[in-house]
């Protein structure tokens, strides 16, 4: 069984798009049982992505294979708190934060984590070498909320060594290797271990089959279960 921890629905400002039927078709084709879905960076997503989060809510009501994740924009603080409340009521299991595309830093986002922690939602955080996205800039937040699970999307990209050190240090930090090279993904599995990595594709920005193949080459089939589903089930409390 495969759970994909990182997928987008919608039509991005940068031109990328993924419809619900694209998503369900590609999941069927590559044998993915469940996917965590959140909004892409739409041109007019509503306050703190409210309009798009509602769309995700309608979709997860119909499709049991999809797991809701609300995207938040900490620049719109009041609306973000409302989205956290809605997320719980709508049966979502996680929230997504993208400091580069929504232009905020850890300091601005910090007040939201108290509520996220109380609601027992997991966090998917975009990380990379771009400004505001360095894993080390968020370290104090991971440490302040030890019972909240944080999934570092793209494992910090060029800063993957920083992500490795943090995932080794903190029990509640997991790594998503979407769009990361074969070499870096291998380094992460060797240094952090399969028990701290979750399978994630980042479709439509990567190819689902390609992301699965990395693990098929890197891990014997007997060792793939934690990455493909076990760790995700634990993080999503399901
Ligand atoms: Zn993404």
């Amino acid at each position: 069984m495969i759970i994909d921890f990182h997928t987008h629905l919608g039509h991005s400002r940068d031109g990328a798009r993924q419809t619900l039927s694209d998503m369900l078709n590609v999941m069927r084709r590559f044998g993915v049982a469940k996917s965590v879905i959140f909004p892409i960076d739409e041109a007019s997503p509503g306050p703190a992505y409210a309009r798009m989060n509602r769309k995700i809510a309608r979709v997860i009501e119909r499709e049991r294979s999809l797991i809701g994740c609300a995207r938040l924009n900490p620049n719109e603080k009041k609306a973000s708190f409302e989205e956290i409340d809605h997320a719980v009521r709508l049966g979502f299991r996680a929230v997504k934060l993208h400091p580069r595309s929504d232009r905020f830093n850890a300091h601005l986002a910090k007040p939201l984590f108290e509520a996220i922690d109380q609601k027992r939602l997991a966090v998917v955080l975009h990380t990379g070498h771009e400004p505001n996205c360095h894993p080390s800039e968020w370290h104090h937040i991971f440490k302040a909320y030890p019972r909240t699970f944080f999934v570092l999307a793209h494992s910090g990209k060029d800063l993957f060594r920083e992500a490795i050190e943090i995932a080794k240090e903190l029990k509640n930090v997991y790594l998503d290797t979407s769009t990361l090279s074969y070499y870096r993904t291998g380094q992460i599995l060797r240094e952090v271990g399969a028990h701290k990595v979750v399978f994630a594709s980042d479709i439509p920005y990567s190819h689902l089959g390609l992301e699965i193949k990395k693990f098929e080459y890197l891990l014997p089939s007997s060792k793939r279960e934690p990455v493909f589903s076990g760790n995700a089930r634990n993080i999503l409390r399901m």
Side-chain angles (χ1 to χ4, degrees):
M1 165 165 170
I2 299 179
I3 300 175
D4 184 345
F5 220 101
H6 186 152
T7 72
H8 297 268
L9 193 72
H11 190 176
S12 165
R13 289 173 292 183
D14 66 18
R17 66 190 306 165
Q18 183 154 248
T19 65
L20 176 60
S21 65
D22 294 339
M23 173 100 76
L24 296 174
N25 284 336
V26 77
M27 285 170 68
R28 216 169 292 129
R29 179 172 167 207
F30 292 100
V32 169
K34 287 182 184 291
S35 295
V36 175
I37 56 164
F38 38 83
I40 214 162
D41 55 336
E42 298 269 340
S44 48
Y49 284 88
R51 190 175 70 81
M52 293 307 300
N53 290 335
R54 267 349 135 260
K55 187 172 167 183
I56 300 284
R58 288 193 295 276
V59 160
I60 63 164
E61 222 178 325
R62 285 209 311 272
E63 297 295 339
R64 309 313 296 174
S65 60
L66 301 176
I67 300 162
C69 174
R71 188 162 173 161
L72 306 175
N73 183 348
N75 289 296
E76 298 164 302
K77 197 155 289 168
K78 188 171 170 281
S80 288
F81 279 114
E82 284 167 17
E83 287 310 295
I84 293 168
D85 285 341
H86 278 303
V88 176
R89 270 202 299 281
L90 296 167
F92 288 21
R93 306 248 172 189
V95 295
K96 165 77 189 280
L97 291 165
H98 201 309
R100 188 201 68 223
S101 94
D102 292 318
R103 295 164 188 268
F104 59 86
N105 58 25
H107 177 74
L108 190 80
K110 193 158 190 208
L112 301 180
F113 289 97
E114 194 60 48
I116 292 168
D117 182 69
Q118 274 170 21
K119 306 287 185 189
R120 314 303 299 269
L121 292 163
V123 178
V124 180
L125 174 68
H126 173 93
T127 59
H129 46 273
E130 308 105 317
N132 300 328
C133 302
H134 300 188
S136 59
E137 295 174 283
W138 294 80
H139 178 269
H140 64 287
I141 292 175
F142 310 147
K143 225 179 151 157
Y145 297 100
R147 64 169 195 176
T148 297
F149 289 112
F150 292 88
V151 174
L152 309 193
H154 322 301
S155 304
K157 297 188 185 175
D158 284 2
L159 297 176
F160 69 103
R161 300 219 170 267
E162 212 174 275
I164 286 174
E165 288 315 311
I166 294 174
K168 274 160 67 174
E169 179 201 336
L170 300 175
K171 267 189 175 161
N172 57 329
V173 174
Y174 285 72
L175 302 182
D176 138 356
T177 60
S178 59
T179 74
L180 221 59
S181 71
Y182 171 81
Y183 173 77
R184 289 176 178 182
T185 304
Q187 287 298 110
I188 286 170
L189 286 172
R190 270 185 294 279
E191 292 184 38
V192 183
H195 66 294
K196 291 302 286 294
V197 174
V198 291
F199 175 72
S201 70
D202 197 16
I203 53 171
Y205 293 104
S206 183
H207 192 287
L208 187 51
L210 203 63
E211 296 293 336
I212 291 172
K213 268 283 175 259
K214 286 195 295 199
F215 291 102
E216 289 180 352
Y217 284 126
L218 285 163
L219 290 172
S221 55
S222 62
K223 299 219 164 119
R224 292 177 200 150
E225 191 277 337
V227 174
F228 277 155
S229 67
N231 298 335
R233 274 204 302 271
N234 191 25
I235 296 168
L236 296 166
R237 306 173 199 279
M238 53 189 276

